[in-house]
Amino acid sequence: MDVRGEIDRILSFLERFMEDYGYGGFVLGISGGVDSAAVAGLLVRLVPPGRIRALILPERDSNPESVEHAKLVCETFGLDCEVRNITPILKKLGIYSLQPPATFVPYRVKKEYALKKWAQKGGEMAYELDIEEKGDEEFRKGVAYYRAKHRVRMCVLYMEAELRGYAVAGTTNRTEWLTGLYVKWGDDATDVEPLLHLYKSEVFELARALGVPKEVVEKPPSPDLIPGLTDEMAFGMSYMELDGILKAIEDGGDLSRFEKGKVERAKRLLRLGKRRNVRMVSLERV
Amino acid sequence: MDVRGEIDRILSFLERFMEDYGYGGFVLGISGGVDSAAVAGLLVRLVPPGRIRALILPERDSNPESVEHAKLVCETFGLDCEVRNITPILKKLGIYSLQPPATFVPYRVKKEYALKKWAQKGGEMAYELDIEEKGDEEFRKGVAYYRAKHRVRMCVLYMEAELRGYAVAGTTNRTEWLTGLYVKWGDDATDVEPLLHLYKSEVFELARALGVPKEVVEKPPSPDLIPGLTDEMAFGMSYMELDGILKAIEDGGDLSRFEKGKVERAKRLLRLGKRRNVRMVSLERV
């Protein structure tokens, strides 16, 4: 990838987007991960920092490190940011009552608990149960619990955007989009998606070129929705492997150079991605 | 419209939808309006009432009559329903602080206040400002205030659906969809839309045939998001007129039989509908 060329292409696209729809700026949720950091790095090259409303939205079970990384991203790019804890909203919604009480439980313990549960559900299989809306009652509670977080974040981001006539900038990349690694009507509910055409491995390249801090680029990507669970645990392989296979499938390239089991898994992930993307199914008018 | 044939066609579609995606039932928000009542009437003909989770989700500023009508709909169709007031969630989100304090203000007074504000903003023009994300600071507060309500409802409906492996049934009709009369990532954020292919005037026909109570069919449609504001105030004409014009435009029919100003307004509403539907704008992969 020609990283400099790609940055220019995205900036022109975002400029045209603002003109076409008359948005005065952007609202961006900063998670502490590489995708939102890359989008922050793009936006500060497009508009003055005063027209970017950056929000850090942790909740009770977030990894404390995420907030630190999110703050570091904002400092790096000279963005004022507000940390707003969404726990009180989620409490009123009732999501914490779906899980064992954990208010004073350290993150390390929550992580051990979640990882044990994940292993019990058969590891990668849990991702399939999740997307296919299956699993037993306890599993479904876990699904409802984690998805509500991103949906509430979306509500907060849109409220902030609407107060200012700003657009909500999304941070979904192509790998996530194709494989369904997002919350339907949560982090996919945005006005504009500057990274949607790029595989995760390309987002890493972009992030480095944009000056995203190395702490953020080098840690294992995680949605930070269930303590300790990383993206690669859901996929059952690394992003490098997955993106390689996805690109080969897209380009009609040779798949024999990849492990057979992983190619099958990648194809299954593509089917799951289509399943997650089912929305507003309707009849044609006759 | 052959109403009986149309009901059968929708029921077959919903049956196939459940099979295709493996959903065990439906979650439906009942507003007290004709669209959700019609969907309730369809669903009870498809699955046993025990597989329909009906929720009534009022908030501080809802019309008290809406809850009564919603309960009546559930009784009529033999549905158990839960009334869950979403005010505490919206409070924590901070939307009420965008508006003057109104906890003990009667609905009639709220309505007078809102209607006065609407007139100040130039009536129908307010709808354009809303969709184009324009208007002054005070206006933007009103926009953020009302939209958050439907988004929080969506969060509640999905939580309920995910706990059960159910689909969220939408209630958007074709008139609303074409003209943008919905909240982006709010009432449009669903799994299936049984009415999306039908104009509002056809939904009325359907509702009558399905046995929706006359109190619900005969009252002026309103999103019940801003006290007193009806759909027809946003459109600047009746649903009968608007649907007639929209259908004529769709079929390439004669427009000269309609008032010229209303045809212009309908065309403008179609453009606004396209604008509201802007979402996840992204670059193509090169």
Side-chain angles (χ1 to χ4, degrees):
Chain A
M1 186 171 73
D2 161 19
V3 183
R4 289 288 146 201
E6 190 56 38
I7 291 172
D8 289 342
R9 194 166 82 98
I10 299 174
L11 292 175
S12 308
F13 157 73
L14 289 171
E15 204 173 357
R16 205 170 52 243
F17 167 80
M18 287 183 80
E19 281 171 22
D20 284 354
Y21 300 109
Y23 287 110
F26 295 91
V27 171
L28 177 64
I30 312 268
S31 67
V34 70
D35 304 291
S36 57
V39 174
L42 288 162
L43 294 181
V44 292
R45 282 163 170 84
L46 184 75
V47 292
R51 286 162 68 194
I52 301 166
R53 173 90 172 123
L55 286 148
I56 304 177
L57 303 169
E59 48 83 34
R60 195 195 72 174
D61 298 338
S62 299
N63 187 343
E65 196 190 68
S66 302
V67 177
E68 294 318 308
H69 287 165
K71 283 182 185 166
L72 179 63
V73 166
C74 292
E75 272 166 40
T76 305
F77 293 122
L79 288 173
D80 282 336
C81 72
E82 187 193 329
V83 182
R84 194 182 300 175
N85 194 304
I86 61 168
T87 302
I89 310 172
L90 290 167
K91 251 186 204 152
K92 291 292 175 191
L93 192 61
I95 75 150
Y96 296 119
S97 61
L98 301 174
Q99 296 288 317
T103 309
F104 300 108
V105 177
Y107 183 75
R108 182 185 48 77
V109 177
K110 286 181 191 170
K111 188 170 155 176
E112 273 165 26
Y113 171 83
L115 292 180
K116 206 175 119 194
K117 301 276 279 184
W118 171 260
Q120 279 168 0
K121 289 292 159 196
E124 292 156 32
M125 264 307 294
Y127 190 59
E128 317 216 2
L129 290 175
D130 174 339
I131 292 198
E132 291 180 336
E133 311 293 341
K134 295 207 171 90
D136 59 20
E137 202 187 320
E138 213 200 326
F139 184 80
R140 305 299 319 153
K141 280 185 186 174
V143 167
Y145 156 85
Y146 88 77
R147 291 191 195 160
K149 300 177 187 182
H150 271 353
R151 292 201 183 106
V152 163
R153 288 190 175 110
M154 182 274 283
C155 293
V156 174
L157 296 175
Y158 266 92
M159 206 172 92
E160 291 291 315
E162 283 154 358
L163 288 173
R164 294 165 177 82
Y166 283 9
V168 172
T171 66
T172 305
N173 61 60
R174 186 168 171 84
T175 312
E176 292 170 336
W177 184 246
L178 290 176
T179 60
L181 195 74
Y182 56 89
V183 173
K184 184 173 167 179
W185 315 126
D187 48 333
D188 67 342
T190 66
D191 298 311
V192 65
E193 290 286 350
L195 307 178
L196 199 64
H197 62 297
L198 297 176
Y199 286 101
K200 183 82 172 192
S201 39
E202 295 169 322
V203 174
F204 279 114
E205 270 191 76
L206 201 79
R208 281 196 191 90
L210 289 164
V212 171
K214 71 168 180 10
E215 293 88 329
V216 172
V217 180
E218 285 169 8
K219 69 176 174 180
S222 156
D224 199 14
L225 290 170
I226 299 171
L229 283 184
T230 64
D231 295 2
E232 297 185 348
M233 287 170 69
F235 292 144
M237 68 188 103
S238 74
Y239 267 114
M240 281 301 281
E241 291 175 290
L242 178 58
D243 283 355
I245 299 170
L246 293 178
K247 276 189 226 178
I249 291 173
E250 182 173 41
D251 303 338
D254 178 25
L255 291 170
S256 67
R257 64 195 158 104
F258 302 103
E259 248 178 73
K260 207 179 155 199
K262 291 193 173 157
V263 173
E264 287 315 307
R265 176 77 186 152
K267 286 183 177 169
R268 178 86 190 119
L269 287 168
L270 286 173
R271 282 194 294 275
L272 291 173
K274 287 213 177 72
R275 172 66 179 77
R276 168 126 321 160
N277 202 10
V278 171
R279 49 191 70 203
M280 287 192 91
V281 180
S282 70
L283 272 166
E284 287 299 304
R285 188 164 173 81
V286 285
Chain B
M1 187 172 70
D2 162 20
V3 184
R4 289 288 146 199
E6 191 54 40
I7 290 172
D8 288 342
R9 194 167 83 99
I10 300 174
L11 291 176
S12 308
F13 157 73
L14 288 172
E15 206 173 354
R16 207 170 50 243
F17 167 80
M18 286 184 81
E19 281 171 22
D20 285 352
Y21 300 109
Y23 287 110
F26 295 91
V27 170
L28 177 65
I30 311 267
S31 66
V34 70
D35 303 291
S36 58
V39 174
L42 288 162
L43 294 181
V44 293
R45 282 163 170 82
L46 184 74
V47 291
R51 287 162 67 194
I52 302 166
R53 174 88 172 125
L55 286 149
I56 303 176
L57 303 169
E59 47 84 38
R60 193 195 74 175
D61 298 338
S62 300
N63 188 343
E65 195 190 70
S66 301
V67 177
E68 294 316 308
H69 286 165
K71 284 182 184 165
L72 178 64
V73 166
C74 292
E75 273 167 40
T76 305
F77 292 122
L79 287 174
D80 281 337
C81 71
E82 189 193 325
V83 181
R84 195 181 299 174
N85 195 305
I86 61 169
T87 303
I89 311 172
L90 290 168
K91 252 188 204 152
K92 291 291 174 190
L93 192 63
I95 76 151
Y96 296 120
S97 62
L98 301 174
Q99 296 288 317
T103 309
F104 300 108
V105 177
Y107 184 76
R108 182 185 46 76
V109 177
K110 288 181 192 170
K111 187 170 156 176
E112 272 165 27
Y113 171 81
L115 292 181
K116 206 176 121 196
K117 300 276 277 182
W118 172 260
Q120 279 167 0
K121 289 292 159 194
E124 292 155 33
M125 264 307 293
Y127 190 59
E128 318 217 1
L129 291 175
D130 175 339
I131 291 199
E132 292 180 335
E133 310 294 342
K134 295 205 172 93
D136 59 21
E137 202 188 321
E138 213 200 326
F139 184 79
R140 305 298 319 154
K141 280 187 186 175
V143 167
Y145 156 84
Y146 88 77
R147 290 191 195 161
K149 301 177 186 183
H150 270 354
R151 292 200 184 108
V152 164
R153 288 188 175 113
M154 183 275 283
C155 293
V156 174
L157 296 175
Y158 266 91
M159 205 172 91
E160 292 290 315
E162 283 154 359
L163 289 173
R164 292 166 179 80
Y166 284 8
V168 172
T171 65
T172 305
N173 62 59
R174 186 170 172 83
T175 311
E176 290 170 337
W177 184 246
L178 290 176
T179 59
L181 194 74
Y182 56 89
V183 173
K184 184 173 169 178
W185 315 126
D187 47 335
D188 67 343
T190 67
D191 299 310
V192 64
E193 290 287 349
L195 307 178
L196 199 64
H197 62 297
L198 297 176
Y199 287 100
K200 183 81 172 194
S201 38
E202 295 168 323
V203 174
F204 278 114
E205 269 190 79
L206 201 77
R208 281 196 190 90
L210 289 164
V212 170
K214 70 168 181 10
E215 292 89 330
V216 172
V217 181
E218 286 171 6
K219 69 177 173 179
S222 156
D224 198 14
L225 289 170
I226 299 171
L229 281 185
T230 64
D231 296 1
E232 298 184 347
M233 286 169 71
F235 293 144
M237 68 188 102
S238 74
Y239 267 114
M240 282 301 281
E241 291 175 288
L242 178 58
D243 284 354
I245 298 170
L246 292 178
K247 276 190 228 178
I249 291 172
E250 182 174 40
D251 304 336
D254 178 26
L255 291 169
S256 67
R257 63 197 159 103
F258 302 104
E259 248 178 72
K260 206 179 157 200
K262 291 194 172 155
V263 172
E264 286 316 306
R265 176 78 185 151
K267 286 183 177 170
R268 178 88 189 118
L269 287 168
L270 286 173
R271 281 193 295 274
L272 291 173
K274 287 212 178 69
R275 172 66 179 79
R276 166 123 323 158
N277 203 12
V278 172
R279 49 190 72 203
M280 287 189 93
V281 179
S282 70
L283 270 167
E284 286 301 303
R285 188 165 172 78
V286 284

